[in-house]
């Protein structure tokens, strides 16, 4: 059964079992946002939550919400229509094939990705949920490669991941000419062990990483509506 979540400024987000969103997507979408008219790309979009948060915050530039699962992409399309958010284009496609050639390559100003986190471990019996959580169809290198192809020189890319993957993420970004520029850890409460980090990289820029203040969930940083 579908349900609807309401964002801060009234944007309605349609979700369903296996096509919802969590705190990590909220933190990702708010850590860095595209400028008003920038061309944006939401990779591993799911129900479109990141693109819709940007819309709720005022972004009105062209935005592609790229998602492999057709049911989740259809939910995004429903939300886009209901919120009169025609600048968002839901695209059901595989990011491993995205921007391989043609005018889309290097055409985006800003990109974000909330990728699958797990290469091993227990799997959900639901194949859709399992695909969203495991890297079978989207590895870290796949996500970073898609962003690197899509972004113009100087374009920005935001990614969230588990802390035990920090070294691999930073190395993979740099190898793709996406230089890490800002990094923040998410904690449930001050002094607790981080459970997530969010990093912003910029294509073709010089080294120089700034560590941002922690994102503390109990402070209300992840609250998105009623």
């Amino acid at each position: 059964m579908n349900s609807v979540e309401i964002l801060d400024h009234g944007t309605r987000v349609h979700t369903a079992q296996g096509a919802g969103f969590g705190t990590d997507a909220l933190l990702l979408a708010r850590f860095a946002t595209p400028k008003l008219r920038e061309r944006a790309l939401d990779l591993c979009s799911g129900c479109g939550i990141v693109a819709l948060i940007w819309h709720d915050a005022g972004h009105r530039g062209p935005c592609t919400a790229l998602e492999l699962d057709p049911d989740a992409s259809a939910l995004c399309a429903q939300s886009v229509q209901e919120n009169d958010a025609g600048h968002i284009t839901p695209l059901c496609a595989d990011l491993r094939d995205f921007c391989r050639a043609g005018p889309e390559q290097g055409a985006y100003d800003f990109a974000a990705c909330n990728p699958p986190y797990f290469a091993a471990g227990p799997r959900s019996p639901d194949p859709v949920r399992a695909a969203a959580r495991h890297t079978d169809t989207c590895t870290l290198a796949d996500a970073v490669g898609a962003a690197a192809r899509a972004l113009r020189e100087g374009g920005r890319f935001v990614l969230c991941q588990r802390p035990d993957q920090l070294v691999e993420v930073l190395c993979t970004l740099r190898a793709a000419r996406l230089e890490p520029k800002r990094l923040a850890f998410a904690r449930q409460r001050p002094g607790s062990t981080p459970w997530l980090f969010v990093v912003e990289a910029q294509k073709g820029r010089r080294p120089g990483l700034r560590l941002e203040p922690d994102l503390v969930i109990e402070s209300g940083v992840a609250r998105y509506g009623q």
Side-chain angles (χ1 to χ4, degrees), residues 22-53:
T23 303
D24 49 358
L26 306 176
L27 296 174
L28 175 72
R30 290 172 174 166
F31 183 68
T33 58
K35 296 177 182 178
L36 179 63
R37 298 296 176 187
E38 283 188 329
R39 190 176 188 188
L41 174 62
D42 177 13
L43 295 166
C44 298
S45 182
C47 65
I49 180 59
V50 170
L52 290 163
I53 288 177

Side-chain angles (χ1 to χ4, degrees), residues 85-96:
H87 63 101
I88 300 174
T89 302
L91 177 61
C92 187
D94 192 326
L95 61 71
R96 292 172 293 186

Side-chain angles (χ1 to χ4, degrees), residues 197-211:
F197 70 86
V198 189
V199 61
E200 179 183 351
Q202 197 168 13
K203 185 173 179 178
R205 291 300 186 256
R206 296 179 178 177
L209 177 63
R210 183 171 76 245
L211 188 63

Side-chain angles (χ1 to χ4, degrees), residues 61-120:
C63 180
T64 302
L66 183 69
E67 170 56 39
L68 182 62
D69 176 49
D71 292 334
S73 189
L75 288 172
C76 179
Q78 187 176 356
S79 297
V80 166
Q81 182 176 16
E82 187 168 317
N83 291 288
D84 194 24
H87 63 101
I88 300 174
T89 302
L91 177 61
C92 187
D94 192 326
L95 61 71
R96 292 172 293 186
D97 302 323
F98 188 66
C99 285
R100 287 290 181 185
E104 295 289 300
Q105 198 169 52
Y108 289 87
D109 303 296
F110 191 93
C113 186
N114 180 11
Y117 295 143
F118 305 109

Side-chain angles (χ1 to χ4, degrees), residues 138-188:
C138 176
T139 65
L140 173 63
D142 292 333
V144 170
R149 293 191 301 271
L151 288 170
R152 62 169 174 80
E153 288 294 309
R156 295 181 292 153
F157 177 49
V158 186
L159 177 79
C160 60
Q161 185 53 273
R162 303 299 186 187
D164 62 339
Q165 298 298 308
L166 177 60
V167 173
E168 182 179 359
V169 167
L170 297 182
C171 290
T172 304
L173 288 169
R174 177 168 282 181
R177 297 186 60 248
L178 296 171
E179 186 62 35
K181 303 300 288 184
R182 297 171 58 227
L183 174 71
F185 291 98
R187 306 174 190 268
Q188 186 62 34

